[in-house]
Amino acid sequence: METLLILGAGGFGQMVKETALQLGYKKVVFLDDAAKGEDVIGMCCDYMLLHSEYPVAVAAFGNNRTRLQWTDKLIEEGYEVPAIIHPSAIVSPSAVIEQGCFIMQRAVVNTHTRIERAALINSGAVVDHDSVVCAGAHVCLGSIVKANCTIESGRKVEAGEVIFSTRRKIEGADSRCLEDAVYAFGFGPQCSYVKPFGEGHINETYAVYMPDPDGTDVPLYVLQRVNINVFKNPAQVMENIFGVTEYLRDVIRKEGGDLDRETLSYIKTKSGDTYFEDDQGQPWRCLHYVPNSVCYQQVERPEQFYQSARSFGHFLMQLGDYPAESLYETIPKFHDTVKRFHDFEAAVRKDVKNRARLCRPEIEFVLSREKDCGVLMEQLQKGVLPLRVTHNDTKLNNILFDGDTGKGLCIIDLDTIMPGLAANDFGDSIRFGASTAEEDEPDLDKVHFDIHLYELYVKGYLEMANNVLTPEETKSLPWGARLMTLECGMRFLADFLQGDVYFKTAYPEHNLVRARTQFRLVKEMEEQFEEMYEILKKYR
């Protein structure tokens, strides 16, 4: 730092000279069209003539447009154009300070802020984190630019003025509620776009895309609006989820696993809440996206079903010591099959949409199995079966699989984490995964209970959970398969009778079609029930 050529010898230029000398420049001279003095060695137009003698130069004009124009001319000429930062200024190491900027006495430039070329941050001004001061702008004496703001090129922020962040439009956020949620979790300033994500029946889900270090937009977060028609107390739902996932992180850490991929990681709002409530009273929650993961809607290869069995068995094992009684029952009596039967009877009796006439055989199918509905609940009430931390929606599509190895990675969709029976979780997996067709297949000739897939699941599940389950719990597993399938069919059919208020539907008979597939599976399980027990004995 031997010499510095300053274009502009006015009051601001003199401030820059003093700062330059404090920074260690040995000789500082000016070019100015009007000022006179020993240190003024020419007019501004002489800058090209003096380049070889003074290779380092800045443009120190108070006028924003003039300062930016001359800075660009110096850069174009090939000058080294440094940023001049006063020794008393506080500048974050992560801030980006471009050529020809001036950061004056006691100014503060905070974390991840960008100060573009020829911008001036004057004495005592504060530019808070994640803000951008564009080229040629001037943040005047003592003014404050708050976090996540953008000061446009050439703008002057007056002395003492406070600039608050203003929202920018986020592509894909087609409602104010969604946009509010993006900002509530702190993603608004950086978010590239959002778009619908997943194929769930209950909640509204979006992937939040953010730029990575290379500037490529990638999904980093998942944002969900929770269906309060189903989950009427979202605070309890989120308390259960945070409690279980934080516990799982500790278990996974002890196992030497990958904390970022083997359990969901939920994040809180900027205000520290477990969820955000929009102005419509709808709750939103957010979690980290799990990269290089795959979710399957249907068993495509037997290995997938086996891996899902190991995943849910491992999930039960990991939570074996978690106090199930500490969890909220967020949907009371969710898998109380006796209650579900009585709810179904009420839906038939009321027939509010006059649909019972369309499904008499299906109604009779359920009513004839009333006694079956109490088998597991009676064992729970007698203390034969213990309460566990259960997922309560153990379909194949609630597991993320590793995109490279095909192995189960992570259990997802944790809304229904509650105290429950191991048999219910096991049974829900069987009713979904051991079917030869999707649960809304209209052609029942394609719908069958695959006993070989059942055996594969039993093998994988007991490989992971056998040491946790009691002997009576293990014996209850076939009943779990049979009753969870019946219960699910009842729920589909009851929702059809009530006007499709719970499950998302694509056409008027959608829930009826779903119910019929479940009842076909129940019938075939009943026919093969003894064989289901014999298979269980092989792997106990």
Side-chain angles (χ1 to χ4, degrees), residues 20-34:
L21 292 172
Q22 291 182 63
L23 292 173
Y25 287 96
K26 303 302 183 184
K27 182 179 180 180
V28 179
V29 295
F30 292 99
L31 295 180
D32 194 282
D33 290 350

Side-chain angles (χ1 to χ4, degrees), residues 330-350:
T330 51
I331 304 179
K333 299 184 181 297
F334 183 59
H335 278 323
D336 183 334
T337 314
V338 174
K339 179 184 181 300
R340 292 290 189 184
F341 180 84
H342 293 319
D343 290 344
F344 174 78
E345 283 185 311
V348 173
R349 183 176 67 255
K350 294 175 182 178

Side-chain angles (χ1 to χ4, degrees), residues 179-330:
E179 183 180 285
D180 285 346
V182 173
Y183 275 91
F185 287 97
F187 307 139
Q190 291 84 35
C191 178
S192 299
Y193 60 92
V194 298
K195 70 177 185 179
F197 179 71
E199 300 185 40
H201 289 333
I202 306 300
N203 300 315
E204 187 177 308
T205 307
Y206 299 87
V208 179
Y209 284 73
M210 309 278 277
D212 68 6
D214 297 328
T216 303
D217 292 333
V218 295
L220 290 185
Y221 304 99
V222 175
L223 194 62
Q224 290 183 313
R225 180 163 65 180
V226 180
N227 186 339
I228 57 175
N229 292 323
V230 178
F231 304 104
K232 300 184 185 301
N233 194 325
Q236 292 182 354
V237 170
M238 294 313 299
E239 188 167 335
N240 282 357
I241 287 175
F242 270 89
V244 166
T245 53
E246 289 174 1
Y247 180 89
L248 283 172
R249 286 181 67 85
D250 188 51
V251 172
I252 292 165
R253 183 181 290 107
K254 292 175 181 176
E255 293 176 345
D258 187 338
L259 293 174
D260 294 329
R261 289 167 61 74
E262 294 181 26
T263 185
L264 296 182
S265 298
Y266 285 78
I267 61 178
K268 295 182 178 180
T269 67
K270 292 176 66 178
S271 58
D273 298 313
T274 57
Y275 67 96
F276 163 72
E277 186 173 297
D278 64 28
D279 60 8
Q280 304 297 313
Q282 301 293 316
W284 295 78
R285 48 123 179 272
C286 189
L287 60 151
H288 288 271
Y289 177 83
V290 180
N292 193 30
S293 60
V294 181
C295 184
Y296 299 102
Q297 297 304 311
Q298 188 72 20
V299 175
E300 299 172 3
R301 301 185 306 277
E303 175 65 17
Q304 292 169 352
F305 200 40
Y306 170 73
Q307 288 296 330
S308 76
R310 289 181 58 85
S311 293
F312 281 119
H314 189 217
F315 186 74
L316 183 78
M317 181 191 71
Q318 288 177 313
L319 294 169
D321 293 329
Y322 193 96
E325 66 280 359
S326 70
L327 294 174
Y328 290 104
E329 193 176 6
T330 51

